[in-house]
Amino acid sequence: MENFNIATPLLQLISNEQAFHYRIIPFEARDGILIFKTDRVSDDLKQELQIVLNKEIELIEDVSENIQQYLSVNFRQRNANLTKDLHYSADFLEKLLFTAKDIGSSDIHFEPYEHKCRVRCRLDGKLKEQFLISLQEYPVIVNKLKIKAGLDISEKRLPQDGRITVKTNIDEFDIRVSSLPTLHGEKLVLRILSKDANHINLDDLGFTKAELKTYKETVKKPNGIILISGPTGSGKTTTLYATLKLLNDDQTNILTIEDPIEYTLEGVNQVQLKENIGLDFANTLRTFLRQDPDVIMVGEIRDAKTANMAIRAALTGHLVLSTIHTNSAWATISRLIDMGIPSFLIASTLNVSVAQRLVRKLCDNCKTEDQVSLDIFPSNFITPSHLKTHFKATGCNNCYHTGYNGRKAIYEIIPITKTLVQYIMQNDLEIDDYIADNNISTLKSNALELVKQGTTSVEEVYALLSE
């Protein structure tokens, strides 16, 4: 079976636009000669490429199907509507930032090693290597990024955080920059933040109809705490903003404290965390209570101090939304108790605990159906008798031969009922029977349902099924 992956040094010889425009695939570079595969071999193409690339060119003929697959696997085609309107200088850095934004990348990683420096982009939750940078050029690129982000270029021993705002005539977005000193130099991670939250809706995130009804009922209560848990990159912040969008009206005063501010919402008062000058979650929350708020959103509950302030805000008649790092909705209770929060306070303020994950959706164009066999599931997983077939990722031009196209969230929602209040007060945190008796969908059951529907693959939700 032919391998359609191209080595990164060859990949960066040409741009995405050149690859698609000329339908050329870099095959080899030797002695100043660049060798390309193409399905359009001609003297005219050869001469044009020699002028454009300023190198001696050789062309090898290949069939159109192979060329198309090379292009799909290795070159993400940028959004055509954006490309013609963007105005930016043609150097590497600007081009990389705009390309990453256009292809839907969430993060860009600049990583130095002993003999090379590489650039990777995160697409649909997975990192893919895009460029290699020479050791001589890397410090120049790092300094340029640090200057744009307002960081100290002379400080290479300590981590730093900054922000870049990028504006074009049709788009505006922010980039959060984080630097980390490593063995061979500074590693930079750029998080691309979409500024506009108008496109985010609770109805489109992945809730089932029953879950959406339950969640909306809890967020419409005038006071209490709504906690959303999950690992980094599981879409917690997006769910929070969709909730704020639902609550945002002329009669409601909404305040948020965030690190960083990922979206902007008209009508919401958003505060950026600045711990170096004492503007932390807990201190800002204390000030918020004097600002006559109706709804308060705290980016993350990281410590006991913040948790105590959030509970105090809920007790005094405010609706508080926040995120917390736990593995399941019910584990949030244990986490708060571990922080030293008395269980009676948790019981009296928590409205709902939500856990979520993001899973990649199978490409509808190429997914293939297969019989279920025991060896595809975790060893401790009991395969349901009704699951006879499942769908596998295959790969086609539509999904860049990854087999997946887009992502959706899956949720576990536990509203805190009178029965659960008693469980919490008594520190009885085993509620498996309660979940079964009340038909509460867990992350595991929702993941299995997506497999059954053919929305995702067993491989994608393997970790959830093994829990």
Side-chain angles (χ1 to χ4, degrees):
M1 186 176 175
E2 188 165 352
N3 181 8
F4 288 95
N5 288 306
I6 301 170
T8 307
L10 289 173
L11 204 60
Q12 62 192 54
L13 291 173
I14 57 173
S15 67
N16 288 10
E17 289 84 356
Q18 288 168 336
F20 278 95
H21 179 70
Y22 296 113
R23 290 185 66 80
I24 53 174
I25 307 299
F27 180 66
E28 195 178 343
R30 63 164 189 259
D31 304 326
I33 301 171
L34 300 183
I35 303 169
F36 293 99
K37 287 184 177 183
T38 181
D39 55 0
R40 299 175 179 175
V41 172
S42 71
D43 288 338
D44 288 346
L45 176 61
K46 183 176 178 180
Q47 287 169 12
E48 187 171 341
L49 288 173
Q50 285 179 168
I51 293 167
V52 170
L53 300 174
N54 196 25
K55 297 274 187 182
E56 188 70 29
I57 302 295
E58 276 187 26
L59 299 177
I60 300 173
E61 189 157 13
D62 202 344
V63 294
S64 292
E65 291 81 7
N66 284 354
I67 297 299
Q68 189 58 50
Q69 188 151 344
Y70 273 117
L71 290 170
S72 298
V73 171
N74 298 283
F75 300 98
R76 293 247 173 173
Q77 195 165 20
R78 295 170 59 190
N79 187 320
N81 295 327
L82 288 176
T83 315
K84 61 188 178 189
D85 289 323
L86 287 177
H87 299 291
Y88 55 90
S89 58
D91 72 326
F92 168 80
L93 204 51
E94 276 78 4
K95 201 163 190 175
L96 175 66
L97 295 180
F98 281 105
T99 303
K101 174 72 164 58
D102 291 351
I103 65 176
S105 175
S106 60
D107 299 86
I108 310 169
H109 293 239
F110 291 81
E111 301 169 319
Y113 296 99
E114 188 176 2
H115 301 296
K116 66 173 184 178
C117 304
R118 68 177 176 178
V119 179
R120 295 191 292 171
C121 290
R122 191 175 291 282
L123 299 157
D124 284 339
K126 304 292 181 184
L127 283 169
K128 181 173 172 60
E129 189 174 289
Q130 300 281 28
F131 295 96
L132 289 177
I133 304 168
S134 72
L135 290 170
Q136 291 74 34
E137 289 177 333
Y138 186 71
V140 177
I141 290 168
V142 168
N143 283 344
K144 188 165 186 181
L145 275 168
K146 288 174 77 172
I147 290 166
K148 282 178 178 288
L151 305 183
D152 182 358
I153 61 169
S154 65
E155 181 54 81
K156 299 181 184 346
R157 302 160 303 160
L158 293 171
Q160 296 185 74
D161 291 298
R163 199 177 181 96
I164 301 171
T165 299
V166 180
K167 292 183 181 180
T168 72
N169 57 341
I170 56 164
D171 198 10
E172 182 177 340
F173 58 96
D174 278 0
I175 296 169
R176 184 182 72 190
V177 181
S178 172
S179 77
L180 177 73
T182 67
L183 178 63
H184 298 292
E186 287 182 281
K187 171 180 163 69
L188 293 182
V189 175
L190 278 58
R191 164 67 61 90
I192 298 170
L193 308 171
S194 176
K195 296 194 78 172
D196 183 19
N198 289 325
H199 63 283
I200 299 173
N201 264 311
L202 276 177
D203 300 13
D204 305 329
L205 295 183
F207 289 103
T208 64
K209 282 185 179 178
E211 286 171 345
L212 189 60
K213 184 173 182 290
T214 302
Y215 184 69
K216 282 185 174 179
E217 283 173 3
T218 59
V219 300
K220 286 180 178 175
K221 291 182 178 179
N223 57 279
I225 298 180
I226 292 155
L227 282 181
I228 300 175
S229 66
T232 302
S234 59
K236 302 186 297 294
T237 306
T238 303
T239 302
L240 278 184
Y241 276 105
T243 309
L244 288 180
K245 192 178 170 188
L246 178 75
L247 297 170
N248 188 16
D249 58 40
D250 291 342
Q251 289 84 44
T252 309
N253 178 22
I254 301 176
L255 298 170
T256 77
I257 170 71
E258 304 168 62
D259 183 30
I261 296 171
E262 293 196 24
Y263 301 94
T264 52
L265 268 173
E266 190 74 30
V268 175
N269 306 284
Q270 296 171 268
V271 178
Q272 168 68 51
L273 189 82
K274 292 190 180 76
E275 287 185 325
N276 58 329
I277 58 168
L279 190 68
D280 59 16
F281 283 128
N283 288 334
T284 309
L285 265 172
R286 195 174 286 111
T287 306
F288 276 5
L289 295 179
R290 298 193 284 271
Q291 287 281 320
D292 186 31
D294 298 296
V295 179
I296 295 171
M297 193 264 264
V298 184
E300 185 185 339
I301 291 180
R302 295 176 181 170
D303 51 42
K305 197 175 171 187
T306 309
N308 274 308
M309 283 305 303
I311 282 182
R312 181 177 155 192
L315 284 170
T316 52
H318 306 95
L319 185 65
V320 180
L321 291 80
S322 191
T323 67
I324 192 166
H325 284 282
T326 58
N327 290 328
S328 68
W330 192 244
T332 297
I333 314 295
S334 307
R335 179 89 177 90
L336 290 171
I337 290 171
D338 289 345
M339 283 182 177
I341 310 299
S343 52
F344 72 89
L345 283 180
I346 299 169
S348 58
T349 54
L350 191 61
N351 290 352
V352 64
S353 183
V354 179
Q356 75 175 84
R357 298 289 188 279
L358 280 179
V359 296
R360 291 185 296 168
K361 296 190 291 183
L362 284 167
C363 173
D364 290 327
N365 195 53
C366 65
K367 65 183 181 184
T368 53
E369 196 168 5
D370 196 9
Q371 294 295 312
V372 165
S373 60
L374 291 177
D375 58 346
I376 64 169
F377 291 103
S379 56
N380 61 344
F381 180 73
I382 301 167
T383 312
S385 56
H386 63 269
L387 192 65
K388 304 296 183 188
T389 62
H390 71 107
F391 283 87
K392 298 191 300 185
T394 306
C396 66
N397 294 334
N398 282 15
C399 60
Y400 306 103
H401 291 272
T402 61
Y404 297 92
N405 199 344
R407 293 189 290 177
K408 75 175 288 172
I410 53 172
Y411 292 90
E412 178 177 298
I413 298 178
I414 302 180
I416 307 303
T417 59
K418 287 181 179 177
T419 307
L420 286 183
V421 165
Q422 293 305 313
Y423 275 104
I424 296 169
M425 298 273 272
Q426 294 159 15
N427 272 4
D428 183 1
L429 301 182
E430 289 296 325
I431 62 159
D432 290 350
D433 292 340
Y434 175 88
I435 285 174
D437 294 343
N438 288 272
N439 294 321
I440 293 172
S441 298
T442 62
L443 288 170
K444 190 173 183 176
S445 64
N446 278 335
L448 191 62
E449 185 61 29
L450 290 186
V451 170
K452 186 180 166 187
Q453 293 168 6
T455 305
T456 193
S457 64
V458 174
E459 181 186 35
E460 181 67 11
V461 295
Y462 191 91
L464 287 173
L465 297 179
S466 66
E467 284 180 4

